[in-house]
Amino acid sequence: MIVPTNRRLTFLLLAMSVVIGAIESPVAQAASLPGVMSGTAVARAIMKYFGKEGTEEATEYLARQGGRELAERVGAAAVREGGQEAAEQVSRLASKYGPEALSALDNAPELAPLLAALDELPESQVRGALARLSAGSAGRELAQTVGRVGVSALKSELKHPGVGGMLARTLGDDGAELATKLTSDQAIAVGRHADDLAALPSAPRQGVLALLRNDTERMVAFMGRFAADNPGKTLFTAATTTIVLAESERILGGDEIVFDAEGNPIVVSKAGIAGRTMKAGGEAIAHVSVNYLQPLLLTVIAFVVTFATLFLLLKLWHAHQREKLVTEGMLREPETIEGSVVEKKAE
């Protein structure tokens, strides 16, 4: 007779407990048999996930980590909400993705919407989605959001982990749709204002979201400038949102919102990127002019004046010399008077 190992004995006892639980009484059997059978199918799917070489590991998971109770709970929820088709989908997920799939599905307050969303995802994204859904309280929040928003919440969370799901949870379908169009840095910037946006009435909120969708880069840049220039101030209040929507062209063009002495928001004109560039260029030119060009120009002027003065003095000296030579020549030249040569004498 072959004596089974402790792990195999544990697994046999586990299987016996499932069977005994299913046949305890006629009433209990009628009430719980579908859930128990589904739980058993899920447990078998977990065994399949670990494979023959991982039988002992699977047995230990089911016996010691509450795996059996988890399998029964998820299996029963699947049968209750979606019937046999949902139970089979749970088994497929468990056999392919293992205990992580059970933890993810157990986090869902309602299993059917989550199963439908997972079914809509590309197969390459399912494992990542299950990992996010199984992550404790964050996974439960994401599962609740998926139940309310649908598969777009999963897609936004997969694109921007930790932020995309929050935008979907806070702003609903609009937040999920917006998240899929943003870069990670842009999603983080918008996420800082998500609660304030959600608190706005529908019309102004939709106006701001339209600006974010249609002119994302400039709108996100404005939000970043506002946060940097006004620490502790809320951007999307009723008053500031009214100004943003009414003066969107000015604001997206570079103008800023500031607060007057009474705390009322107003729009002030500031140089845009081109203006700031020209200003910086002008300052650079002025610096070069003051520190380099002006001294050089003064040096050139001094050189020209000196050269001109020397040239003029030289010309005068040459003129004087010529005049002197002419005078001396005239004094030596004899004069003829009535056929006689008379020398000029100097007086």
Side-chain angles (χ1 to χ4, degrees):
M1 179 177 178
I2 299 175
V3 179
T5 63
N6 289 338
R7 294 183 183 277
R8 290 180 180 174
L9 180 59
T10 302
F11 179 68
L12 291 173
L13 292 173
L14 173 63
M16 289 175 63
S17 67
V18 171
V19 174
I20 291 172
I23 59 174
E24 282 181 342
S25 68
V27 176
Q29 181 181 7
S32 64
L33 183 57
V36 172
M37 291 181 65
S38 178
T40 303
V42 174
R44 285 199 302 268
I46 291 293
M47 298 290 291
K48 181 179 178 182
Y49 169 77
F50 283 102
K52 292 182 179 180
E53 296 180 357
T55 301
E56 293 184 359
E57 187 178 356
T59 303
E60 184 175 349
Y61 168 77
L62 290 171
R64 297 186 181 179
Q65 299 184 27
R68 182 188 60 159
E69 292 80 1
L70 179 59
E72 289 180 354
R73 185 164 61 246
V74 173
V79 171
R80 182 174 63 253
E81 295 185 35
Q84 187 61 30
E85 183 178 350
E88 290 175 357
Q89 185 179 356
V90 169
S91 296
R92 286 195 301 272
L93 290 170
S95 65
K96 188 169 184 177
Y97 302 106
E100 191 171 57
L102 294 185
S103 299
L105 296 174
D106 192 48
N107 263 341
E110 296 182 7
L111 197 56
L114 183 57
L115 289 174
L118 289 169
D119 198 42
E120 289 185 55
L121 278 180
E123 187 175 350
S124 60
Q125 295 183 350
V126 173
R127 185 179 294 278
L130 291 172
R132 303 300 302 172
L133 288 163
S134 64
S137 60
R140 284 191 288 275
E141 284 187 345
L142 179 58
Q144 291 171 356
T145 304
V146 173
R148 186 165 49 87
V149 177
V151 69
S152 59
L154 277 179
K155 290 180 178 179
S156 60
E157 175 65 16
L158 289 173
K159 184 171 183 180
H160 308 297
V163 179
M166 181 271 290
L167 288 174
R169 181 177 68 254
T170 307
L171 300 173
D173 292 326
D174 293 320
E177 178 192 0
L178 181 63
T180 60
K181 297 180 179 179
L182 300 175
T183 66
S184 293
D185 289 341
Q186 290 171 343
I188 292 170
V190 174
R192 295 192 184 102
H193 303 275
D195 289 333
D196 299 327
L197 283 172
L200 290 173
S202 177
R205 181 174 68 250
Q206 290 301 320
V208 173
L209 290 173
L211 288 176
L212 283 167
R213 283 192 296 267
N214 299 329
D215 205 341
T216 305
E217 188 172 344
R218 292 201 299 168
M219 186 64 181
V220 172
F222 158 68
M223 292 163 66
R225 293 196 304 272
F226 181 91
D229 294 340
N230 302 279
K233 292 285 187 179
T234 300
L235 172 55
F236 293 112
T237 63
T240 54
T241 303
T242 299
I243 291 180
V244 169
L245 296 178
E247 302 288 350
S248 59
E249 284 303 316
R250 287 184 60 190
I251 289 171
L252 297 184
D255 289 351
E256 304 288 357
I257 293 180
V258 298
F259 295 88
D260 62 18
E262 287 75 32
N264 300 311
I266 56 175
V267 181
V268 295
S269 296
K270 289 188 177 180
I273 294 176
R276 288 192 293 270
T277 302
M278 292 177 64
K279 180 181 178 181
E283 291 175 352
I285 292 173
H287 174 76
V288 172
S289 176
V290 170
N291 293 280
Y292 299 100
L293 296 182
Q294 286 185 7
L296 180 61
L297 180 61
L298 292 175
T299 301
V300 171
I301 291 173
F303 174 80
V304 170
V305 170
T306 302
F307 177 81
T309 302
L310 291 174
F311 180 76
L312 182 60
L313 290 174
L314 184 62
K315 293 288 286 183
L316 291 173
W317 183 79
H318 279 294
H320 174 71
Q321 290 297 106
R322 284 196 302 271
E323 184 178 352
K324 183 178 179 181
L325 290 173
V326 170
T327 303
E328 291 178 352
M330 291 178 64
L331 290 174
R332 289 197 213 87
E333 194 176 298
E335 292 185 356
T336 302
I337 302 176
E338 295 181 353
S340 300
V341 177
V342 180
E343 291 183 359
K344 291 182 178 180
K345 295 181 180 180
E347 294 179 358

